[in-house]
Amino acid sequence: MAEKKNILTYEGLTALEDELQDLKLNRRKEVAAKIKEAREQGDLSENAEYDAAKDEQRDIELRIEEIDKILKNAEVVVEEDVDVNAINIGCSVRLRDLEFDEEMVYKIVGSTEADVLGNKISNESPVGAALIGSKVGDTIEVETPNGEMVKYEILEIQKSK
């Protein structure tokens, strides 16, 4: 079975590459030093620092493996080439919640980069999926997890900065 492509913006790709570099070059060395120091304290069977360092080492290696897998299957969206006539990954979208008359701005990204607090929503999320392909002036309806329908008017589509 073919693995799912991880859609990334250039910003997301760069962030993952930077994190991978830091994990491999810095964090591995830091944890190795902690393990060495803990070993020098003697009996490892009752050494909490040793156990904590080994757990941290395991977490780092799992994250490295996860990032490698993401990058191996990455498909990068060139944001400069994004068509702003319709919403797609790599766009920033200004919306109005029609019930509360509130405006919001979201960047549409792949699921790997989604960060609700950073106003980055996945193309696979209910709102993101409903937005894909929509144009300025369109109204979309999205069903929330609790079953309510929310309506948004699309006010503006821009290339992400």
Side-chain angles (χ1 to χ4, degrees):
M1 182 172 99
E3 290 197 43
K4 176 184 155 194
K5 285 286 183 198
N6 296 302
I7 300 172
L8 297 170
T9 60
Y10 183 73
E11 175 187 359
L13 175 70
T14 303
L16 282 173
E17 289 173 338
D18 291 347
E19 181 182 354
L20 184 62
Q21 180 98 354
D22 181 55
L23 288 170
K24 286 182 173 181
L25 297 180
N26 301 322
R27 298 289 310 279
R28 272 182 173 164
K29 288 178 185 172
E30 291 169 10
V31 171
K34 287 180 186 178
I35 291 171
K36 181 180 180 213
E37 187 177 309
R39 275 193 177 131
E40 291 170 354
Q41 293 175 7
D43 185 10
L44 297 181
S45 64
E46 296 181 18
N47 189 327
E49 285 93 18
Y50 178 77
D51 291 340
K54 290 299 278 184
D55 287 345
E56 188 177 352
Q57 182 182 45
R58 183 198 66 235
D59 292 346
I60 288 169
E61 294 306 320
L62 287 172
R63 182 62 180 154
I64 287 171
E65 188 178 312
E66 179 184 16
I67 293 172
D68 279 337
K69 189 175 181 181
I70 290 168
L71 294 176
K72 180 179 154 219
N73 295 305
E75 185 175 305
V76 179
V77 174
V78 180
E79 291 159 289
E80 292 81 33
D81 297 343
V82 170
D83 177 10
V84 293
N85 292 318
I87 297 171
N88 209 329
I89 296 172
C91 290
S92 287
V93 183
R94 190 165 55 92
L95 308 172
R96 175 179 290 119
D97 181 321
L98 295 177
E99 181 180 352
F100 297 105
D101 195 32
E102 293 177 342
E103 285 189 17
M104 56 208 69
V105 176
Y106 291 116
K107 180 176 180 179
I108 310 298
V109 296
S111 59
T112 307
E113 286 181 77
D115 173 13
V116 176
L117 297 177
N119 290 340
K120 295 179 179 181
I121 59 172
S122 166
N123 63 313
E124 298 174 13
S125 70
V127 174
L131 286 170
I132 296 292
S134 299
K135 298 175 177 6
V136 172
D138 288 354
T139 299
I140 61 160
E141 284 189 65
V142 180
E143 187 174 350
T144 63
N146 64 5
E148 293 180 37
M149 294 302 281
V150 181
K151 290 184 180 182
Y152 297 104
E153 179 186 0
I154 299 160
L155 303 174
E156 184 180 19
I157 304 169
Q158 296 181 333
K159 293 181 182 186
S160 293
K161 296 167 182 81

